[in-house]
Amino acid sequence: MTQTVSYNNTNVSSNEEEKNGKLVKGMVLGAVVGGALAMLDSTTRQKVTSNTKSMKDSTMDMVGQVRNDPSGVKSDLQDRLSSAQSVLKEAINDAQNLYEKVNGDIVGQVNQVKEESTEILSTAKEATSDLKDIGGKVKEAGEEVMDESSSQSGGSVNSSSTSNNSPGFNNTSSSDSSEKKIPGQLG
């Protein structure tokens, strides 16, 4: 059983290598065909030729300089590298300073805004809760007023049906719509 599994793994890996080999061959063939097609254009050929000549000339100049004065080329290259190194160190220091500034200033301000917004939200939640309590009390008070006016208007109907001349009640008939009492209205 183990041999079958390892045989299958070996077979799979050889198939992958074969596919990868075909991929690389296809890419190289595509590059060659693309390059050949690009060379059909005369301006492209001229650019390639001039770029190749300039690369050859600069390489030959470098080789000539190394042959004539190898220590001078070496010291010049070392000077360039040390200059680039110092510029790179300055850039790294500037980046660190910027990071510290951003981390100190902006992150601190973001945290402050976060804390303040949390406080604002909690205050708003408390205000909402208090407003609900007040609304409940107003509703309760309104219900009590409505209950009292209903009981008073019920009493006035009973007394007006028996006696229209009772003090504190309207002496007009109930058919007069302009002077009807609204429940909860005094007088």
Side-chain angles (χ1 to χ4, degrees), residues 9-23:
N9 287 341
T10 306
N11 194 16
V12 169
S13 65
S14 66
N15 283 340
E16 288 179 11
E17 289 175 6
E18 187 176 307
K19 288 179 183 177
N20 288 339
K22 287 181 182 179
L23 177 66

Side-chain angles (χ1 to χ4, degrees), residues 30-97:
V32 169
V33 169
L37 288 175
M39 289 300 180
L40 293 177
D41 185 31
S42 63
T43 58
T44 305
R45 281 194 310 265
Q46 289 174 354
K47 286 182 182 178
V48 169
T49 303
S50 66
N51 288 340
T52 305
K53 284 181 183 179
S54 66
M55 282 178 44
K56 177 186 169 193
D57 292 340
S58 64
T59 304
M60 292 306 290
D61 288 342
M62 179 64 85
V63 169
Q65 289 176 358
V66 170
R67 281 186 188 165
N68 292 336
D69 188 19
S71 61
V73 172
K74 179 183 172 187
S75 65
D76 184 43
L77 186 59
Q78 286 176 342
D79 289 343
R80 288 183 185 182
L81 288 175
S82 65
S83 175
Q85 184 181 10
S86 66
V87 170
L88 186 59
K89 283 182 181 179
E90 287 178 23
I92 289 172
N93 286 336
D94 290 344
Q96 285 176 340
N97 291 337

Side-chain angles (χ1 to χ4, degrees), residues 11-173:
N11 194 16
V12 169
S13 65
S14 66
N15 283 340
E16 288 179 11
E17 289 175 6
E18 187 176 307
K19 288 179 183 177
N20 288 339
K22 287 181 182 179
L23 177 66
V24 171
K25 288 177 187 177
M27 289 173 61
V28 169
L29 181 63
V32 169
V33 169
L37 288 175
M39 289 300 180
L40 293 177
D41 185 31
S42 63
T43 58
T44 305
R45 281 194 310 265
Q46 289 174 354
K47 286 182 182 178
V48 169
T49 303
S50 66
N51 288 340
T52 305
K53 284 181 183 179
S54 66
M55 282 178 44
K56 177 186 169 193
D57 292 340
S58 64
T59 304
M60 292 306 290
D61 288 342
M62 179 64 85
V63 169
Q65 289 176 358
V66 170
R67 281 186 188 165
N68 292 336
D69 188 19
S71 61
V73 172
K74 179 183 172 187
S75 65
D76 184 43
L77 186 59
Q78 286 176 342
D79 289 343
R80 288 183 185 182
L81 288 175
S82 65
S83 175
Q85 184 181 10
S86 66
V87 170
L88 186 59
K89 283 182 181 179
E90 287 178 23
I92 289 172
N93 286 336
D94 290 344
Q96 285 176 340
N97 291 337
L98 179 64
Y99 173 76
E100 290 172 1
K101 181 179 180 183
V102 166
N103 197 21
D105 293 344
I106 295 176
V107 173
Q109 290 175 359
V110 167
N111 288 336
Q112 183 180 0
V113 167
K114 182 180 173 183
E115 290 172 4
E116 289 175 359
S117 64
T118 304
E119 290 175 11
I120 290 170
L121 285 175
S122 66
T123 303
K125 286 180 183 178
E126 289 175 10
T128 303
S129 174
D130 291 345
L131 189 59
K132 285 182 182 178
D133 291 344
I134 291 170
K137 289 178 183 177
V138 168
K139 182 179 177 184
E140 184 180 322
E143 288 174 353
E144 286 182 18
V145 168
M146 293 303 287
D147 287 344
E148 286 182 21
S149 75
S150 295
S151 65
Q152 285 179 359
S153 66
S156 68
V157 169
N158 289 340
S159 16
S160 67
S161 65
T162 57
S163 167
N164 284 339
N165 295 331
S166 301
F169 292 101
N170 192 1
N171 289 334
T172 60
S173 68

